[in-house]
Amino acid sequence: DVKVTQSSRYLVKRTGEKVFLECVQDMDHENMFWYRQDPGLGLRLIYFSYDVKMKEKGDIPEGYSVSREKKERFSLILESASTNQTSMYLCASSLAGTGYTGELFFGEGSRLTVL
Amino acid sequence: QQQVKQSPQSLIVQKGGISIINCAYENTAFDYFPWYQQFPGKGPALLIAIRPDVSEKKEGRFTISFNKSAKQFSLHIMDSQPGDSATYFCAASMDAGNMLTFGGGTRLMVKP
C-alpha cells in the first residue's frame, strides 16, 4: 500500500521560531509537493520537487523553503514562523511522467499553530 | 486569484439524495480535471477524473459532467450515503502534468 508519512501531526510554535516539517514516501516517486490547506482557499502549492536536490516555487512560496537531499524525503522549512502561517500542511508525491493519471498521494497532514 | 472556483462551500443532503458540486475554470489550457475526496483527519485521495474529450464519466455512484464551452465541470453523487460525508476538492491541470490547481473545497454532510 502506498504511503506518505508526515512525521508531525500537530505542532505548536512561537512567532520567530524555525520550523521543520518532514515528509517521507515509500513509493519511489520522483515528484514531491508541499501544499497548504486553508478553509475556503482549498489546497495551495508552496513548493514542489521533481528530483533530488531540485525544487521549484509554487503559488505561495514566500516565507518557506524546502530541502530534498534524498528521493524519499522532502522537508518544508519555515525560517521564522509567523501567525499567518498557522495552517494545515499537506505533503504529496506522484510518479514522474504519469500523463493523464497524475495522481497525487497525500500524507495525513501536519497542523501547525503559530502563537 | 483563484483559477478554479468551486461551489457550494458546504452542502447538506439527506441520505439517498443527489449531491451536486460545481466547479468553473478560466484557463482553457487545462486538460485534466480530477476530484479529490478528503475524510476528517486524512489527506485527500483521488476519487475520479475526466479529460476534456468526453462529456461525462461515471464510476459507481460518482459521475463527473464536463461542459467545455462553459468551462465548467461538476461532481454528482447519486444515492448519497452518510459515509460520503467528506470534503471534496475539484482540480485542474494542463499538459497532462502533475501541477494541479485546486478549487476551494466543499464540505458535504449526508444526514441519515
Side-chain angles (χ1 to χ4, degrees):
Chain A
D1 198 14
V2 297
K3 194 118 176 116
V4 177
T5 302
Q6 295 181 232
S7 56
S8 301
R9 293 296 304 275
Y10 301 94
L11 302 95
V12 179
K13 299 292 182 181
R14 297 208 173 272
T15 301
E17 280 192 81
K18 190 169 186 175
V19 181
F20 292 88
L21 299 180
E22 304 286 339
C23 175
V24 177
Q25 51 97 0
D26 64 0
M27 297 166 282
D28 202 33
H29 284 172
E30 290 80 7
N31 301 327
M32 295 190 75
F33 307 80
W34 276 105
Y35 284 90
R36 172 175 170 161
Q37 180 177 3
D38 299 289
L41 298 179
L43 306 177
R44 293 179 292 166
L45 182 64
I46 304 172
Y47 268 97
F48 70 98
S49 170
Y50 53 88
D51 201 352
V52 176
K53 297 192 184 296
M54 304 302 290
K55 61 183 179 183
E56 295 286 343
K57 292 180 180 179
D59 299 320
I60 52 165
E62 296 78 17
Y64 304 95
S65 62
V66 290
S67 173
R68 192 165 182 201
E69 296 296 321
K70 294 184 177 182
K71 188 176 184 180
E72 68 271 17
R73 187 179 298 269
F74 193 35
S75 302
L76 180 69
I77 303 157
L78 288 67
E79 293 290 342
S80 178
S82 63
T83 55
N84 62 13
Q85 292 178 311
T86 292
S87 186
M88 172 68 82
Y89 291 88
L90 289 164
C91 176
S93 71
S94 70
L95 279 169
T98 46
Y100 282 104
T101 303
E103 181 174 1
L104 294 180
F105 294 88
F106 284 89
E108 295 190 327
S110 298
R111 182 166 293 282
L112 171 66
T113 301
V114 182
L115 302 176
Chain B
Q1 179 185 358
Q2 201 166 32
Q3 294 190 56
V4 179
K5 294 184 179 180
Q6 184 171 345
S7 62
Q9 284 199 15
S10 63
L11 180 62
I12 300 175
V13 174
Q14 290 295 129
K15 179 182 176 181
I18 302 173
S19 303
I20 302 174
I21 304 170
N22 300 299
C23 285
Y25 62 97
E26 299 169 2
N27 191 339
T28 55
F30 286 147
D31 60 3
Y32 172 67
F33 302 90
W35 287 86
Y36 280 76
Q37 179 188 53
Q38 183 183 30
F39 293 108
K42 300 293 185 181
L46 180 64
L47 179 65
I48 186 172
I50 196 168
R51 294 182 292 175
D53 52 347
V54 296
S55 60
E56 187 174 281
K57 183 174 181 180
K58 184 176 181 179
E59 290 185 1
R61 296 183 294 109
F62 299 89
T63 300
I64 299 179
S65 297
F66 183 78
N67 185 330
K68 189 173 182 178
S69 61
K71 292 187 287 184
Q72 295 176 348
F73 58 109
S74 60
L75 177 69
H76 294 234
I77 306 174
M78 311 300 288
D79 186 26
S80 298
Q81 300 296 313
D84 297 328
S85 297
T87 299
Y88 292 82
F89 295 97
C90 63
S93 70
M94 62 182 109
D95 297 326
N98 295 125
M99 302 311 302
L100 288 173
T101 298
F102 284 87
T106 296
R107 179 173 286 186
L108 170 66
M109 179 185 297
V110 181
K111 288 192 168 182

